[in-house]
Amino acid sequence: MNWKFFCDRAGRGLTLFCAALVIVLTVSIIYFISSKGLATFFTNGISLREFLLSDQWAPDRAAVDGGPLVGAKAFIAGSVLVSLLAVGVSAPLGIIVAVFIVEIAPGWGQRVLQPAVELLAGIPSVVYGYIGLSLLVPLIRTYLGGGGFSLLAGFLVLSVMILPTIISVSTDSIRALPVEWKHASYALGSTRWQTIRMVLVPAARSGLITAVVLGMARAFGEALAVQMVIGNTREIPTSILSPMMTLTSAITMDMGATVMGTTWNNALWSMGLLLLLMSLCFILIIRVVVRRGAVQ
Amino acid sequence: MQRMMNSVGNKMETKGLNLYYKNFQALFNVSLPVREHRVTALIGPSGCGKSTFLRTLNRMNDVIEGTRIEGEVLLDGNNIYAPGVDPVALRKKVGMVFQRPNPFPMSIFDNIAYGPRIHGIKNKETLAEIVEKSLQAAALWDEVKDRLHKSALGLSGGQQQRLVLARVLAVEPEVILMDEPASALDPISTAKLEDLIHQLKNNYTIVIVTHNMQQAARISDYTGFFLNGEMIEYDYTNNIFTAPRDKRTEDYITGRFG
Ligand SMILES: Nc1ncnc2c1ncn2[C@@H]1O[C@H](COP(=O)(O)OP(=O)(O)OP(=O)(O)O)[C@@H](O)[C@H]1O
Ligand SMILES: [Mg+2]
């Protein structure tokens, strides 16, 4: 009896402790990134406008020459472009594959396709980058011209990487639909294709949007693989074949070269803060979408 | 001779129907006529195969994996299981109301317009007319006419059941199959539905599964009694309830088992 009581108390204590630990960790990480990231504007006197809207990046230029310049526009544009294009490829592809797995070939889809997707999700990003580097980049160089390191290579690698996320979340949301809707649709004389297009996909809408946003978030935050294939030039890409840079790759490229407390270093933290805010946005979007779906 | 006794013809008819779910046989040699513009009730204890039988009439069993069927199901004299028959076209003629109301997660309007839309009607006014007419026919129009573009999932259970009936009517089928349509309804909604079935008889042929003996007696012209996958007895509803020929039918309707 006493022992049971003790276990109960100890269990509750342990869960409380873990929960508190997670909260403390999250808050302190956010605090750290924010204090560093905001220092660019409050301590180093860079305007938010310059950071967001200028593409002049010369963080080591001396003050007498008008420096340091920390305009991150090229990286922001790079991140947004590469992620949007990746989602543009993966969202339709992933949703179609999900429909295929659940509705068209449930036997084969679940035995072969689903494990394949899970495997795809488990491959480390450096391997994706390596494949992109040794296969995709030379292919692009040979057949499409340019150096091969490009926006195109970046978003293709990314789209493969986010595909498993989109497929598995979409699959779950389609599978969760009540079978009654499908039967009702068939009983009214619809074909399978009409049922999928007009009943199942719209009914799974909030889950599918969540899948796409999660894929977008993953694309936005991915650093390593993208960095290996995009060429990392500090300019806004002008074509799909031009080299470019993203926020994440800008941080990894520069972080070893800077000293804590300098404008340069703080500007990198500002980019980190920006990434944090973006993922916050994605989370909020998903919340709203899911709540809307639930109300329906 | 037979023909003179029954001035109505058979809209549908099953002949020697066997149905298997994988290795499990659910229907045994079922032969049953469905008279045109009449209500045929199917009664029998739970698990005896009523829903299974009903689904053979519009080939909804095709959707369930592993089902196999032997025998014939005729619609206007043609076997609907013959090779080359398109189940999609068949289901437009033979509509179905399910045991549990299953409106789509769309507006009331879109639910009703779904059938006509998939069958190619695009004109907005035509669709609006069909929606109103179907809802009128299902005695739901007055209750929902001000909220046609609200979600159908916000309706009560009884309203949802009439909604899915309206959705079937919008396709203008010739036969309507109903699987215990009143099982989830309160007495008032049930009475409304029964009234409705009475009226629909003029334009449709109806087959209805029910667990409620009084309901079968009230609304149907013919009744088939099922037991363990077999059709035990089929006759005028009146005869089934007043002078059943089979001992098992009598036991069932007098409540001695089931
Ligand atoms: N999809 C299925 N797979 C395997 N067996 C099934 C399936 N559907 C029904 N059965 C079996 O077939 C038999 C008849 O089922 P059916 O649903 O037709 O009965 P019912 O008369 O409609 O019962 P109830 O009155 O409870 O609705 C039952 O033994 C049931 O377990
Ligand atoms: Mg049943």
Side-chain angles (χ1 to χ4, degrees), chain A residues 274-291:
Chain A
L274 194 58
L275 286 167
L276 184 76
L277 291 176
M278 285 302 292
S279 75
L280 191 70
C281 274
F282 291 132
I283 292 169
L284 287 178
I285 293 173
I286 291 173
R287 286 265 159 133
V288 170
V289 166
V290 168
R291 180 144 357 113

Side-chain angles (χ1 to χ4, degrees), chain B residues 51 99 179-180:
Chain B
S51 298
Q99 191 161 346
D179 195 350
E180 299 184 46

Side-chain angles (χ1 to χ4, degrees), chain A residues 83-270:
Chain A
S83 313
L84 279 181
L85 286 171
V87 166
V89 172
S90 288
L93 191 64
I95 291 172
I96 290 170
V97 171
V99 165
F100 186 84
I101 291 178
V102 183
E103 286 301 322
I104 313 240
W108 185 78
Q110 261 155 61
R111 261 196 325 273
V112 182
L113 258 170
Q114 200 139 11
V117 169
E118 278 153 22
L119 194 72
L120 222 52
I123 298 175
S125 57
V126 64
V127 175
Y128 279 111
Y130 202 23
I131 296 173
L133 185 71
S134 10
L135 222 66
L136 203 55
V137 169
L139 269 178
I140 292 173
R141 184 164 45 222
T142 315
Y143 292 101
L144 299 173
F149 292 97
S150 56
L151 174 56
L152 178 64
F155 86 74
L156 286 181
V157 167
L158 259 188
S159 60
V160 178
M161 292 180 70
I162 65 175
L163 202 54
T165 310
I166 296 183
I167 293 176
S168 61
V169 178
S170 304
T171 308
D172 290 344
S173 73
I174 298 174
R175 195 171 283 148
L177 297 176
V179 74
E180 280 88 359
W181 291 340
K182 188 163 76 174
H183 288 174
S185 175
Y186 281 135
L188 288 165
S190 0
T191 60
R192 183 154 73 174
W193 170 237
Q194 287 170 326
T195 303
I196 289 170
R197 192 167 56 90
M198 295 173 67
V199 177
L200 301 182
V201 169
R205 193 176 43 217
S206 72
L208 299 181
I209 295 174
T210 302
V212 172
V213 176
L214 279 175
M216 182 83 191
R218 169 120 207 256
F220 216 83
E222 172 55 38
L224 198 51
V226 182
Q227 188 183 349
M228 290 165 78
V229 299
I230 54 175
N232 302 301
T233 54
R234 303 177 192 282
E235 281 150 31
I236 297 179
T238 49
S239 92
I240 204 150
L241 293 177
S242 24
M244 53 165 295
M245 196 139 167
T246 63
L247 284 169
T248 46
S249 65
I251 295 175
T252 40
M253 296 285 289
D254 282 10
M255 64 186 177
T258 64
V259 180
M260 276 279 221
T262 56
T263 309
W264 189 352
N265 184 276
N266 285 341
L268 297 184
W269 284 111
S270 303

Side-chain angles (χ1 to χ4, degrees), chain A residues 14-136:
Chain A
L14 188 68
T15 34
L16 259 175
F17 172 76
C18 294
L21 188 69
V22 170
I23 293 171
V24 169
L25 269 175
T26 314
V27 169
S28 44
I29 288 174
I30 292 176
Y31 174 77
F32 184 73
I33 298 177
S34 308
S35 67
K36 287 281 183 186
L38 292 175
T40 317
F41 311 110
F42 294 115
T43 314
N44 307 112
I46 306 290
S47 74
L48 185 63
R49 208 186 143 82
E50 181 190 341
F51 177 71
L52 292 177
L53 300 178
S54 150
D55 55 0
Q56 297 299 311
W57 181 260
D60 50 351
R61 186 175 296 176
V64 284
D65 300 325
L69 296 174
V70 289
K73 184 176 158 194
F75 317 140
I76 298 171
S79 277
V80 170
L81 261 180
V82 86
S83 313
L84 279 181
L85 286 171
V87 166
V89 172
S90 288
L93 191 64
I95 291 172
I96 290 170
V97 171
V99 165
F100 186 84
I101 291 178
V102 183
E103 286 301 322
I104 313 240
W108 185 78
Q110 261 155 61
R111 261 196 325 273
V112 182
L113 258 170
Q114 200 139 11
V117 169
E118 278 153 22
L119 194 72
L120 222 52
I123 298 175
S125 57
V126 64
V127 175
Y128 279 111
Y130 202 23
I131 296 173
L133 185 71
S134 10
L135 222 66
L136 203 55

Side-chain angles (χ1 to χ4, degrees), chain B residues 126-145:
Chain B
T126 317
L127 284 173
E129 268 167 38
I130 294 175
V131 168
E132 174 167 356
K133 206 176 77 185
S134 312
L135 285 169
Q136 296 268 20
L140 189 59
W141 173 252
D142 290 332
E143 288 159 69
V144 301
K145 62 171 186 279

Side-chain angles (χ1 to χ4, degrees), chain B residues 46-47 49-52 55 99 179-180 209 211:
Chain B
S46 191
K50 304 179 297 292
S51 298
T52 303
R55 284 196 298 266
Q99 191 161 346
D179 195 350
E180 299 184 46
V209 171
H211 271 290

Side-chain angles (χ1 to χ4, degrees), chain B:
Chain B
M1 199 57 204
Q2 182 77 19
R3 194 94 193 120
M4 274 159 67
M5 274 170 58
N6 299 302
S7 55
V8 277
N10 290 343
K11 181 67 187 175
M12 296 191 81
E13 184 174 7
T14 69
K15 286 182 172 170
L17 205 60
N18 293 313
L19 186 138
Y20 305 82
Y21 292 114
K22 303 222 166 72
N23 295 323
F24 173 77
Q25 186 167 2
L27 293 178
F28 297 84
N29 195 28
V30 176
S31 299
L32 183 130
V34 175
R35 310 264 194 237
E36 187 155 26
H37 294 310
R38 293 289 182 271
V39 177
T40 303
L42 306 178
I43 59 170
S46 191
C48 67
K50 304 179 297 292
S51 298
T52 303
F53 176 77
L54 203 65
R55 284 196 298 266
T56 61
L57 299 180
N58 67 344
R59 291 188 60 168
M60 276 301 285
N61 282 319
D62 293 17
V63 180
I64 301 167
E65 229 176 292
T67 53
R68 192 161 54 82
I69 197 158
E70 291 163 2
E72 287 188 336
V73 178
L74 307 181
L75 172 68
D76 297 322
N78 303 313
N79 184 9
I80 62 173
Y81 284 93
V85 173
D86 178 13
V88 170
L90 165 74
R91 292 183 196 127
K92 188 176 176 318
K93 285 195 204 163
V94 186
M96 184 165 212
V97 174
F98 292 80
Q99 191 161 346
R100 267 192 295 164
N102 54 359
F104 297 129
M106 317 168 178
S107 71
I108 293 168
F109 186 96
D110 288 338
N111 260 278
I112 312 292
Y114 179 80
R117 277 192 180 126
I118 57 171
H119 296 117
I121 298 177
K122 294 212 178 71
N123 185 293
K124 280 217 174 78
E125 280 150 39
T126 317
L127 284 173
E129 268 167 38
I130 294 175
V131 168
E132 174 167 356
K133 206 176 77 185
S134 312
L135 285 169
Q136 296 268 20
L140 189 59
W141 173 252
D142 290 332
E143 288 159 69
V144 301
K145 62 171 186 279
D146 301 321
R147 51 197 280 209
L148 287 178
H149 296 285
K150 297 260 163 61
S151 169
L153 301 185
L155 297 174
S156 76
Q159 289 172 327
Q160 288 190 2
Q161 198 58 291
R162 276 176 286 147
L163 177 89
V164 299
L165 180 57
R167 188 173 64 184
V168 170
L169 296 178
V171 182
E172 300 192 321
E174 295 162 19
V175 182
I176 302 178
L177 312 174
M178 301 189 186
D179 195 350
E180 299 184 46
S183 67
L185 304 188
D186 64 88
I188 295 173
S189 308
T190 305
K192 274 190 188 170
L193 192 74
E194 290 181 9
D195 278 350
L196 209 57
I197 292 171
H198 255 301
Q199 288 163 27
L200 292 173
K201 213 162 77 165
N202 298 321
N203 301 311
Y204 302 91
T205 301
I206 295 173
V207 185
I208 180 168
V209 171
T210 175
H211 271 290
N212 182 329
M213 296 302 128
Q214 285 83 27
Q215 184 172 64
R218 275 195 303 268
I219 60 176
S220 69
D221 305 292
Y222 300 88
T223 296
F225 171 61
F226 280 71
L227 188 63
N228 298 329
E230 282 180 80
M231 218 276 295
I232 304 294
E233 187 168 351
Y234 167 85
D235 206 335
Y236 287 110
T237 297
N238 213 7
N239 294 350
I240 291 274
F241 284 97
T242 55
R245 277 167 286 146
D246 197 292
K247 178 80 172 59
R248 290 166 292 183
T249 315
E250 188 180 344
D251 286 349
Y252 183 69
I253 59 167
T254 55
R256 240 162 286 172
F257 70 83

